[in-house]
Amino acid sequence: MIICKTPREIEIMREAGKIVALTHQELQKHIAPGITTKELDEIADRFIRQHDAVPSFKGYNGFSGSICASVNEELVHGIPGNRKLKDGDIISIDIGAKYKGYHGDSAWTYPVGDIPAETQKLLEVTEESLYRGLEEAKPGVRLSNISHAVQTYAEENGFSIVREYVGHGVGQDLHEAPQIPHFGPPDKGPRLKPGMVLAIEPMVNAGSRYVKTLADNWTVVTVDGKMCAHFEHTIAITEEGYEILTRT
Protein backbone atom coordinates (compact mmCIF):
# COMPACT_ATOMS: atom_id res chain seq x y z
CA MET A 1 0.00 0.00 0.00
CA ILE A 2 1.32 3.44 -0.95
CA ILE A 3 1.06 5.79 2.03
CA CYS A 4 0.14 9.38 1.18
CA LYS A 5 1.56 11.86 3.68
CA THR A 6 -0.32 14.73 5.29
CA PRO A 7 0.92 18.33 4.89
CA ARG A 8 2.26 18.13 8.45
CA GLU A 9 4.19 14.94 7.67
CA ILE A 10 5.64 16.47 4.52
CA GLU A 11 6.70 19.49 6.54
CA ILE A 12 8.72 17.19 8.81
CA MET A 13 10.12 15.33 5.81
CA ARG A 14 11.14 18.64 4.28
CA GLU A 15 13.30 19.20 7.37
CA ALA A 16 14.71 15.66 7.17
CA GLY A 17 15.52 16.24 3.52
CA LYS A 18 17.19 19.55 4.26
CA ILE A 19 19.45 17.86 6.81
CA VAL A 20 20.43 15.30 4.16
CA ALA A 21 21.17 18.08 1.65
CA LEU A 22 23.24 20.03 4.17
CA THR A 23 25.20 16.87 4.98
CA HIS A 24 26.01 16.44 1.29
CA GLN A 25 27.20 20.04 1.18
CA GLU A 26 29.39 19.48 4.22
CA LEU A 27 30.95 16.32 2.80
CA GLN A 28 31.62 18.04 -0.51
CA LYS A 29 34.03 20.36 1.31
CA HIS A 30 36.11 17.34 2.37
CA ILE A 31 36.10 15.18 -0.78
CA ALA A 32 39.70 15.31 -1.98
CA PRO A 33 42.60 12.95 -2.65
CA GLY A 34 43.89 11.41 0.57
CA ILE A 35 40.74 11.36 2.67
CA THR A 36 39.34 7.96 3.62
CA THR A 37 35.73 6.89 3.23
CA LYS A 38 35.67 6.24 6.99
CA GLU A 39 36.64 9.86 7.67
CA LEU A 40 33.78 11.02 5.45
CA ASP A 41 31.45 8.70 7.33
CA GLU A 42 32.52 10.18 10.68
CA ILE A 43 31.99 13.73 9.41
CA ALA A 44 28.50 12.83 8.16
CA ASP A 45 27.52 11.02 11.35
CA ARG A 46 28.56 13.95 13.51
CA PHE A 47 26.88 16.51 11.24
CA ILE A 48 23.55 14.65 11.09
CA ARG A 49 23.42 14.26 14.87
CA GLN A 50 24.27 17.94 15.38
CA HIS A 51 21.07 18.69 13.44
CA ASP A 52 18.87 16.66 15.84
CA ALA A 53 18.58 13.71 13.46
CA VAL A 54 20.07 10.23 13.31
CA PRO A 55 21.71 8.48 10.34
CA SER A 56 19.09 6.29 8.68
CA PHE A 57 21.60 3.70 7.48
CA LYS A 58 23.52 3.13 10.72
CA GLY A 59 22.61 -0.41 11.80
CA TYR A 60 20.04 -0.82 9.00
CA ASN A 61 19.92 -4.59 8.45
CA GLY A 62 23.31 -4.67 10.14
CA PHE A 63 25.01 -2.01 7.96
CA SER A 64 27.99 -0.57 9.87
CA GLY A 65 28.25 2.89 8.30
CA SER A 66 26.28 6.09 8.63
CA ILE A 67 26.61 6.70 4.88
CA CYS A 68 27.13 4.43 1.89
CA ALA A 69 30.43 5.35 0.22
CA SER A 70 30.95 3.65 -3.15
CA VAL A 71 34.08 4.36 -5.21
CA ASN A 72 34.55 4.00 -8.98
CA GLU A 73 33.15 0.61 -10.03
CA GLU A 74 31.27 0.33 -6.71
CA LEU A 75 27.64 1.20 -7.39
CA VAL A 76 25.88 1.21 -4.04
CA HIS A 77 26.14 0.07 -0.41
CA GLY A 78 29.89 0.64 -0.12
CA ILE A 79 30.98 0.23 3.50
CA PRO A 80 33.07 3.15 4.79
CA GLY A 81 36.60 2.07 5.65
CA ASN A 82 40.29 2.81 5.24
CA ARG A 83 40.27 3.29 1.46
CA LYS A 84 41.86 6.62 0.54
CA LEU A 85 40.40 8.57 -2.34
CA LYS A 86 42.74 9.27 -5.25
CA ASP A 87 42.79 11.92 -7.95
CA GLY A 88 40.58 10.73 -10.80
CA ASP A 89 38.26 8.65 -8.60
CA ILE A 90 34.54 9.19 -8.31
CA ILE A 91 32.58 8.51 -5.13
CA SER A 92 28.86 7.90 -4.79
CA ILE A 93 27.63 8.96 -1.36
CA ASP A 94 24.17 7.90 -0.23
CA ILE A 95 22.87 9.69 2.86
CA GLY A 96 19.75 9.10 4.93
CA ALA A 97 18.65 11.08 7.98
CA LYS A 98 15.74 10.34 10.30
CA TYR A 99 14.18 13.43 11.85
CA LYS A 100 11.17 13.32 14.18
CA GLY A 101 10.38 9.82 12.95
CA TYR A 102 10.64 10.48 9.19
CA HIS A 103 13.42 9.84 6.69
CA GLY A 104 15.13 11.88 4.00
CA ASP A 105 17.23 10.02 1.42
CA SER A 106 19.56 11.34 -1.28
CA ALA A 107 22.62 10.12 -3.18
CA TRP A 108 25.12 12.00 -5.30
CA THR A 109 28.24 11.02 -7.22
CA TYR A 110 31.21 13.36 -6.84
CA PRO A 111 34.50 13.71 -8.73
CA VAL A 112 37.73 13.47 -6.75
CA GLY A 113 40.19 15.97 -8.18
CA ASP A 114 40.38 15.86 -11.97
CA ILE A 115 38.43 13.12 -13.73
CA PRO A 116 38.50 12.05 -17.41
CA ALA A 117 35.98 13.59 -19.80
CA GLU A 118 34.16 10.29 -20.31
CA THR A 119 33.68 9.92 -16.57
CA GLN A 120 32.41 13.48 -16.32
CA LYS A 121 29.88 12.66 -19.04
CA LEU A 122 28.69 9.64 -17.02
CA LEU A 123 28.03 11.89 -14.03
CA GLU A 124 26.27 14.53 -16.09
CA VAL A 125 24.05 12.05 -17.92
CA THR A 126 23.10 10.21 -14.73
CA GLU A 127 22.17 13.43 -12.98
CA GLU A 128 20.18 14.64 -15.98
CA SER A 129 18.39 11.27 -16.22
CA LEU A 130 17.14 11.88 -12.68
CA TYR A 131 15.66 15.23 -13.67
CA ARG A 132 14.20 13.79 -16.86
CA GLY A 133 12.36 11.30 -14.66
CA LEU A 134 11.22 14.02 -12.29
CA GLU A 135 9.68 15.94 -15.18
CA GLU A 136 7.08 13.14 -15.34
CA ALA A 137 6.24 13.38 -11.62
CA LYS A 138 2.80 14.94 -11.46
CA PRO A 139 -0.67 13.90 -10.28
CA GLY A 140 -2.51 11.46 -12.51
CA VAL A 141 0.62 10.27 -14.34
CA ARG A 142 1.47 6.58 -14.22
CA LEU A 143 4.53 5.76 -12.14
CA SER A 144 6.39 4.03 -14.97
CA ASN A 145 6.52 7.26 -16.96
CA ILE A 146 9.30 8.27 -14.55
CA SER A 147 11.06 4.96 -15.14
CA HIS A 148 10.79 5.22 -18.92
CA ALA A 149 12.11 8.79 -19.05
CA VAL A 150 15.18 7.84 -16.97
CA GLN A 151 15.99 4.81 -19.12
CA THR A 152 15.45 6.60 -22.42
CA TYR A 153 17.81 9.45 -21.60
CA ALA A 154 20.58 7.26 -20.16
CA GLU A 155 20.52 4.80 -23.04
CA GLU A 156 20.32 7.51 -25.71
CA ASN A 157 23.64 8.74 -24.33
CA GLY A 158 25.30 5.34 -24.53
CA PHE A 159 25.03 4.20 -20.92
CA SER A 160 23.29 1.29 -19.17
CA ILE A 161 20.60 1.30 -16.50
CA VAL A 162 21.02 -1.04 -13.54
CA ARG A 163 17.87 -3.10 -13.03
CA GLU A 164 18.50 -4.91 -9.77
CA TYR A 165 18.11 -1.80 -7.59
CA VAL A 166 15.17 0.55 -7.69
CA GLY A 167 13.73 3.69 -6.15
CA HIS A 168 11.09 3.50 -3.44
CA GLY A 169 8.59 5.25 -1.26
CA VAL A 170 9.91 7.05 1.83
CA GLY A 171 8.28 7.96 5.13
CA GLN A 172 8.42 6.59 8.64
CA ASP A 173 10.16 3.63 7.03
CA LEU A 174 13.23 4.19 4.90
CA HIS A 175 11.88 1.90 2.20
CA GLU A 176 8.13 1.91 1.56
CA ALA A 177 5.89 1.03 -1.38
CA PRO A 178 6.02 1.51 -4.27
CA GLN A 179 9.16 0.13 -5.82
CA ILE A 180 10.28 2.40 -8.67
CA PRO A 181 12.37 0.82 -11.44
CA HIS A 182 14.41 3.13 -13.62
CA PHE A 183 13.55 1.25 -16.79
CA GLY A 184 10.49 -0.07 -18.56
CA PRO A 185 7.58 1.02 -20.79
CA PRO A 186 5.50 4.12 -20.02
CA ASP A 187 1.90 4.22 -18.75
CA LYS A 188 2.18 1.33 -16.29
CA GLY A 189 1.75 1.09 -12.54
CA PRO A 190 -0.20 3.23 -10.07
CA ARG A 191 -1.20 6.81 -10.81
CA LEU A 192 0.67 9.42 -8.83
CA LYS A 193 -1.31 11.31 -6.18
CA PRO A 194 -0.57 14.37 -4.04
CA GLY A 195 1.05 13.31 -0.78
CA MET A 196 3.09 10.47 -2.21
CA VAL A 197 6.75 10.74 -1.21
CA LEU A 198 9.18 8.93 -3.49
CA ALA A 199 12.93 8.41 -3.78
CA ILE A 200 13.97 8.44 -7.44
CA GLU A 201 17.54 7.18 -7.82
CA PRO A 202 18.95 6.28 -11.24
CA MET A 203 21.98 4.00 -11.15
CA VAL A 204 23.86 4.11 -14.43
CA ASN A 205 26.85 2.12 -15.68
CA ALA A 206 29.45 3.18 -18.23
CA GLY A 207 29.62 -0.38 -19.55
CA SER A 208 27.14 -3.24 -19.30
CA ARG A 209 24.19 -3.05 -16.92
CA TYR A 210 25.25 -6.10 -14.93
CA VAL A 211 26.32 -5.88 -11.29
CA LYS A 212 27.28 -8.28 -8.50
CA THR A 213 27.61 -8.16 -4.71
CA LEU A 214 31.03 -8.63 -3.12
CA ALA A 215 31.86 -11.08 -0.36
CA ASP A 216 31.08 -8.48 2.34
CA ASN A 217 27.41 -9.01 1.33
CA TRP A 218 26.93 -5.26 0.89
CA THR A 219 29.12 -3.64 -1.74
CA VAL A 220 27.61 -3.81 -5.23
CA VAL A 221 30.05 -3.47 -8.15
CA THR A 222 29.85 -3.50 -11.93
CA VAL A 223 30.65 -6.94 -13.35
CA ASP A 224 32.93 -5.44 -16.03
CA GLY A 225 34.77 -3.17 -13.56
CA LYS A 226 33.74 0.02 -15.35
CA MET A 227 32.62 3.23 -13.67
CA CYS A 228 29.08 3.79 -12.46
CA ALA A 229 27.10 6.67 -10.97
CA HIS A 230 24.13 7.14 -8.63
CA PHE A 231 21.96 10.24 -8.17
CA GLU A 232 18.89 10.38 -5.91
CA HIS A 233 16.36 12.88 -4.62
CA THR A 234 13.39 12.39 -2.33
CA ILE A 235 10.35 14.17 -3.77
CA ALA A 236 6.76 14.82 -2.72
CA ILE A 237 3.97 14.78 -5.29
CA THR A 238 2.03 18.05 -5.07
CA GLU A 239 -1.22 19.29 -6.59
CA GLU A 240 0.74 20.86 -9.46
CA GLY A 241 3.71 18.51 -9.86
CA TYR A 242 6.48 17.68 -7.42
CA GLU A 243 8.69 19.22 -4.76
CA ILE A 244 12.27 18.11 -4.12
CA LEU A 245 12.56 17.57 -0.37
CA THR A 246 16.30 16.81 -0.29
CA ARG A 247 17.55 20.31 -1.00
CA THR A 248 18.35 23.37 1.06
Side-chain angles (χ1 to χ4, degrees):
M1 184 179 69
I2 302 174
I3 302 169
C4 288
K5 277 63 179 185
T6 66
R8 173 60 182 155
E9 288 177 307
I10 290 175
E11 184 179 330
I12 295 170
M13 296 191 73
R14 196 176 287 120
E15 288 301 312
K18 182 179 180 181
I19 293 166
V20 169
L22 289 170
T23 308
H24 272 287
Q25 290 178 9
E26 180 63 24
L27 289 184
Q28 213 172 349
K29 301 174 187 176
H30 300 275
I31 294 171
I35 196 167
T36 68
T37 55
K38 180 64 175 174
E39 287 170 328
L40 292 173
D41 184 75
E42 291 167 350
I43 292 166
D45 184 280
R46 184 166 57 249
F47 190 88
I48 291 169
R49 295 180 192 279
Q50 286 172 347
H51 286 77
D52 300 320
V54 295
S56 299
F57 303 156
K58 185 79 170 179
Y60 185 80
N61 290 334
F63 189 74
S64 61
S66 294
I67 62 171
C68 297
S70 308
V71 180
N72 294 339
E73 77 285 355
E74 298 173 352
L75 178 71
V76 287
H77 305 158
I79 302 171
N82 294 323
R83 181 173 185 168
K84 289 186 177 181
L85 299 184
K86 306 189 306 295
D87 188 69
D89 285 345
I90 57 174
I91 180 168
S92 297
I93 297 179
D94 197 351
I95 301 172
K98 188 175 185 180
Y99 176 76
K100 293 186 178 179
Y102 291 83
H103 295 275
D105 187 8
S106 175
W108 226 249
T109 303
Y110 299 100
V112 182
D114 295 319
I115 61 174
E118 60 267 26
T119 306
Q120 183 63 38
K121 182 183 177 184
L122 170 67
L123 269 57
E124 291 172 356
V125 169
T126 307
E127 181 178 0
E128 180 62 20
S129 76
L130 167 62
Y131 290 108
R132 294 295 178 102
L134 295 186
E135 287 176 4
E136 302 297 322
K138 53 183 76 94
V141 171
R142 296 279 188 185
L143 182 65
S144 77
N145 284 23
I146 297 174
S147 313
H148 184 71
V150 170
Q151 179 183 18
T152 299
Y153 186 78
E155 292 181 351
E156 282 177 351
N157 281 278
F159 298 110
S160 303
I161 288 284
V162 173
R163 303 190 178 208
E164 289 80 1
Y165 299 90
V166 299
H168 52 90
V170 187
Q172 289 181 304
D173 291 324
L174 182 59
H175 296 103
E176 297 183 351
Q179 290 194 339
I180 309 167
H182 303 104
F183 63 93
D187 302 318
K188 304 289 184 182
R191 292 192 185 275
L192 301 178
K193 297 179 181 178
M196 289 183 177
V197 179
L198 311 170
I200 314 298
E201 50 179 319
M203 302 175 199
V204 176
N205 292 349
S208 81
R209 70 174 181 84
Y210 297 102
V211 296
K212 63 182 180 180
T213 304
L214 297 183
D216 63 17
N217 292 321
W218 281 107
T219 310
V220 177
V221 301
T222 57
V223 168
D224 59 15
K226 293 186 177 181
M227 295 283 198
C228 49
H230 179 201
F231 285 79
E232 174 187 22
H233 269 313
T234 300
I235 66 166
I237 303 299
T238 66
E239 296 289 345
E240 297 79 26
Y242 70 92
E243 176 191 352
I244 294 176
L245 300 181
T246 41
R247 65 167 32 157
T248 57

